[in-house]
Amino acid sequence: MKFWRLPLDAGSHSIPIGELHIIKDRCKGCGFCIEFCPNQVLKEAPEFNKKGYHPPLVTKQGECVNCNLCEIICPEFAIYSVLKEYKELTAEDIAGYSKK
Amino acid sequence: MTPKKVQRKEKEEPRIGVYVCHCGLNIGGVVDCARVAEFAAGLPGVILSKDNLYTCSEPGQELIKADIKEHRLNRVVVASCTPRLHEPTFRAACEDAGLNPYLFEMANIREHCSWVHLHDKEAATEKAKDLVRMAVARSKLLAAQEPLEVPVTRKALVIGGGVAGIQAALDLADSGYKVYLIEKDPSIGGRMAQIDKTFPTMDCSICILAPKMSEAGRHPNIELLTLSEIEGVEGYVGNFTVQVRKKARFVTDSCTACGDCVKVCPQVAPDEFNAGLSMRRAIYMSFAQAVPSTYQIDMDLCLNKHGIIACDKCFQACQRQCVDYSQQDQILTLDVGTIIVATGVDVYDPTPLTEFGYRKFPNVITSLEFERLINAGGPSGGNLIRPSDQKIPKTVAFLQCIGSRSKRSNIYCSNICCMNTIKDALLIKEHWPETKILVFYIDIRAFGKGFEDLFQRARREGVSFIRGVPGEIIEDPETNSLTLIGEDTLLSQLYRYEVDMAILSVGIEPRKDSPVIQRLLNLSCAADGFFLEAHPKLRPVDTPTGGIFLAGCAEGPKDIKDSVTQASAAASRANILMAQGKVIVEAITAVVDETLCQGCGMCVKVCPYSTIREDPETKIAQVTQASCAGCGTCVAECPFSAITQRHFTDAQIFAQIDAITEEAPETKAVAFCCNWCSYAGADFAGVSRMQYPTPIRIIRTMCSGRISTEFIEYAFRRGAAAVLVSGCHIGDCHYINANHQTEKRVNRVWKKMERLGLDKNRLQLAWISAAEGNLFARKMKEIDEIIQGVTPEEIEKTKQILVPKKKGKGEGTEPKE
């Protein structure tokens, strides 16, 4: 059955939300961050940077959970995330889990 | 050794002994047995013919044995009662005297003759002669057969680790067999582990289940495979090969369930075990008593995807280093002799019934959510609270039959909900006696042991039972309280009740993925989607496929006690097979003549047991003898006559038709009846002494699916006035669905008759069950009227124009003589 109800203990849990910072002109377009983001937050930007590469673009703002994987694997130190806030769970989050 | 070769070897002259039984006055009082015996003596091949008082008696059997030896009889025909009664007796007698039991034949002159024609002695005697003539004709073509003995692997597979699966596995393991217990969830326990208390004894559910779970977990004969699913099943009774996918757990067996990893996991999701009422992490254990007591990682939720480690917090937290992100699924191959299916049920989702507002109003919950709320180990610590404000409700309503007994959801009664609600109401009364409880019902079904007592106790303790489920629930948006509107059908009054919380007593339904199990194991499902047993009364835990048994709710909704009872029954049935170590397959299986098979694949399509395969290279059909049930549907379907059913060959059936139509065929009807239903129905008409006209002559086959269109046309060509094809009702076929083929074939002949301008009414198709003797008798009267109406010209015309289709290779299903 698909879940919909906000769990009774939802208040004691929260989701970390990361803020992504991309230093566009450092990017060499390897695509690691896009490929390996566990929440598929990034995609390739349509525009070019100074070097002529497509840097990453944040598509799903608010779905970054600040795991820092992109920061670790980026060979050019072109991306990093900082903890922005802890978000409270909502009924939409629960419906989203059931879809997974 | 193929039967064809056997037949050729047996080409010695038939030496038939015929015994016409008086059965006291049962036959002798109507049929002139001496005349029948005298008639039989004149039939070609008959060496001796006798009539005696009781052939089945000890002296009667001794006489047969002595005659076989003295007169070197190589065929024995007994004209007496139904073969369904005494065929085994006489076969044993023949075997004692050194004659292969498959060389014995019976003519049923009691149930099908003397008992149903009590008042027409002359016609009954004539019919008895015909029946003996048919039996003698068939007996000449009988061949000695050896039943196949198949070894049984002494290991069992139990699919599903709920209470039924656990019980079945424990029973078999205690009997000394190796058991694989497969569960798709991370822990065994099933639905029973989620329930707070059981009815009618109010035992704590997990308290009585947990010891069984851990016993199953540590039993030396049980190999527990959790997070595992069946991917393929091959083989047949006693010899199954099963492919199992054991999914990666990502936590090794060294886990001590300390729970340190959980505290650091950043990923959360609703907890399935608590029906979504609490959160769990990506690394978790379903519940405290889980077996195996090992954590696992939900990789859909974990941040470490594609083997890339984004987060190693749980790995760092685990002192014993049990976390292994690189674990892979394993594919296991298991060889087992028997399989028990205990796959359980899903809970009905009441969302489509919008009038109750489930998913819209937070204080409308299902009975499963209630179980988790009232459970001390649940998300509210056992406090019954309203989800909207987490306060204890003062008025609670239970709504019965949600998702049951309605055309809008499931049509059947889910069996457990009435008692579950009564138990729940008493639980509330136990903890919060002041709570007002209203139960809205259609009927309260308290049918089991101790159930009515519990119901009366609930009434004594002040639970109100109101007949009539509300038509609508309305919510006050301010307070989130609910108003129930409906009609009290006992008082014929509309009602309006204000409650703090409503519990939908939801029904249970087949697992969403049960079609997968059905396909893999070749099971059948009833209309409601639950697995079908081989016989609803006498083989309630067997499936139509040999060696596979059913336990628990997979077969139909039932409570814990019934599930456990059925599990033990299934284990005991599996035990019988494995204790014997072998199964005997009756020698009535289909055999392919490889020189005639053209590889068209028609037989593969119609085989209800999927036991015929095409050789991948030659396309020649291959029948697995051990799993062939002997319906003969493939034989009737084969356009090249390349398949023979042992003991029910085309030649034998043609010989029977010949015998019927030898004299005055225009006054007779040829009937083909399946052994299990319509032949038994005719027997029942006999036992009940239902009188019907005499023209019918019955040919017995195992299944109506054996009747090829050739037989029907041949009977008409021989001048028979009418033909009846009769089998089990659609859906009741003893060979799963072979009678669908019967229907198709009869339709084909009807069309052909219509096209040729013949009266298609002369071919009748009737579904008659073993209990429908009256229907059989009625059909016989109908057929008699049809025969009266058939003109000699019509019969002559049929003989002329109903010519056999030109056939390719392998022509010659018709008798050569």
Side-chain angles (χ1 to χ4, degrees), chain A residues 4-84:
Chain A
W4 61 282
R5 197 186 290 285
L6 197 61
L8 301 177
D9 59 352
S12 57
H13 293 276
S14 54
I15 307 172
I17 300 294
E19 192 174 58
L20 281 165
H21 296 270
I22 298 161
I23 307 163
K24 281 182 190 164
D25 291 336
R26 278 193 190 171
C27 176
K28 281 188 182 168
C30 70
F32 282 2
C33 55
I34 299 168
E35 179 71 26
F36 296 118
C37 172
N39 280 5
Q40 280 106 49
V41 170
L42 300 163
K43 73 165 193 185
E44 201 173 69
E47 76 269 8
F48 297 96
N49 64 8
K50 268 187 191 159
K51 292 186 175 127
Y53 298 105
H54 295 288
L57 181 74
V58 182
T59 55
K60 293 187 254 177
Q61 196 65 261
E63 283 197 25
C64 171
V65 292
N66 196 37
C67 73
N68 292 318
L69 178 68
C70 49
E71 186 178 327
I72 297 163
I73 60 172
C74 179
E76 306 301 323
F77 306 101
I79 187 166
Y80 64 98
S81 71
V82 290
L83 184 67
K84 187 176 160 196

Side-chain angles (χ1 to χ4, degrees), chain B residues 399-445:
Chain B
L399 278 65
Q400 293 308 107
C401 295
I402 305 299
S404 307
R405 303 179 67 198
S406 159
K407 282 180 186 157
R408 289 176 62 203
S409 51
N410 293 318
I411 202 106
Y412 51 85
C413 167
S414 289
N415 191 311
I416 51 154
C417 338
C418 285
M419 292 316 295
N420 192 56
T421 288
I422 291 167
K423 171 208 76 178
D424 288 345
L426 281 167
L427 278 180
I428 300 175
K429 282 280 175 195
E430 198 178 289
H431 295 299
W432 302 277
E434 299 310 311
T435 315
K436 193 176 167 204
I437 302 172
L438 308 164
V439 177
F440 298 90
Y441 67 96
I442 302 177
D443 300 292
I444 291 290
R445 296 186 166 174

Side-chain angles (χ1 to χ4, degrees), chain B residues 341-345 526 528-536 539-543 549-558 562 566:
Chain B
V341 180
T343 47
V345 276
D528 52 22
F530 291 103
F531 294 131
L532 204 60
E533 61 280 52
H535 189 280
R539 292 175 68 199
V541 299
D542 297 24
T543 66
F549 306 94
L550 300 172
C553 288
E555 182 261 339
K558 51 177 71 67
D562 286 354
Q566 203 186 19

Side-chain angles (χ1 to χ4, degrees), chain B residues 618-665:
Chain B
T618 59
K619 296 280 175 216
I620 286 175
Q622 293 171 326
V623 182
T624 309
Q625 293 293 309
S627 52
C628 173
C631 62
T633 309
C634 55
V635 188
E637 192 72 12
C638 180
F640 306 102
S641 312
I643 313 183
T644 312
Q645 184 180 8
R646 299 199 280 164
H647 205 57
F648 288 92
T649 65
D650 283 358
Q652 288 164 6
I653 294 170
F654 280 124
Q656 284 173 294
I657 301 173
D658 278 339
I660 296 170
T661 52
E662 200 168 312
E663 283 172 22

